[in-house]
Amino acid sequence: MKTPRYSIIAPVFNEVESLPVLIRRLSEVMDQTGETWELILVDDGSTDGSTDMIREMAKDDAHIRPVIFVRNFGHQLAVTAGLDYCRGDAVVIIDADLQDPPEVILEMITRWNEGYEVVYAVRSEREGETWFKRTTAAIFYRMIFRITDVKIPLDTGDFRLLDRKVVNVMNRMKEKHRFLRGMAAWVGYKQIGIPYKRAARLAGVTKYPFRKMLKLALNAITSFSYFPLQVATYIGFISAGISILAIPVVIVERLTGSQAFFGQATTLIAVLFLGGVQLISLGILGEYVGRIYDEAKGRPLYIVREEPSDFEK
Ligand code: UDP
Ligand code: MG
């Protein structure tokens, strides 16, 4: 089979209501390009019938190439699988819930034809998301930007176009805890952002509860920054510095008969404060060590039940 010009990757986790509309709108947009294209639908362990729907759709539409996971591995790994299976010269990652309007893809392709190798979509506006989601997302992107060594563009999700060269490099990065937008920034290449209005979900609710968002944030930080580890060092130096300065003060106070440092409260506060700092530092260290442990185990990133070749006639 001839390799397509464009690949679209959409991770699917319980999106049965959005799928038909997604396929229709994507097909409309992609047919306008006049080039060959494929749509990799990665089913991330859906339980609402999305899986069967994808299987059926693949029978009728040769553009659709399903990758079906044995269980839920998470959004970032679903996209990773898509990157492994796609064959296009330009690859677009898009959410299946239609929060990313497919029409923006045409604009990305224009930029790609101008020579840009990564075209990421920047959320200039967000619709239909809760105050909590918008605020935590805004804080998250800004914090990541400040503390990571890679300059990951602000307010940018995974909705982006990647040139084949970039996809090949990213496929060689086998880290287990993946933060794809960071990885795409890390590789370099010629990059540009285009603004877009993030729509409300077409149907259903977010598949990113707070727990998953926190996990993503921790992966983002630990994958691209040592800053949290260094914080312990800074606090250590500061408290050691204060203690040294305190020694002559206390000696003078005692010699002059002052009672300023009598009582247990001072001791207790100091001990609790340092104990707290030490436990937090240990926890931070644990986050990194746990990730080293996961890397050392060398387990596969995801397990597929069915892959595109199972659907070829
Ligand atoms: N998704 C996935 N696996 C998951 C969670 C989400 O494949 O464990 C998919 C989901 O179907 C959607 C995309 O990832 O296509 C983004 O998820 P969602 O829209 O729930 O996140 P939000 O837009 O609320 O941040
Ligand atoms: Mg969404």
Side-chain angles (χ1 to χ4, degrees), residues 11-13 15 44 72 74-75 78 95-97 99 133 198 201 206-208 212:
V12 177
F13 180 50
E15 305 284 4
D44 187 14
N72 181 259
H75 172 225
D95 279 0
D97 60 358
Q99 282 199 279
K133 177 97 185 182
R198 186 152 165 92
R201 241 177 184 278
T206 176
K207 309 299 177 316
Y208 255 100
K212 279 191 185 175

Side-chain angles (χ1 to χ4, degrees), residues 54-79:
I54 293 172
R55 288 193 185 106
E56 285 304 314
M57 285 169 154
K59 278 188 200 152
D60 303 334
D61 187 343
H63 292 117
I64 299 180
R65 303 180 72 230
V67 176
I68 295 172
F69 280 4
V70 295
R71 64 164 168 88
N72 181 259
F73 280 91
H75 172 225
Q76 298 288 300
L77 290 175
V79 175

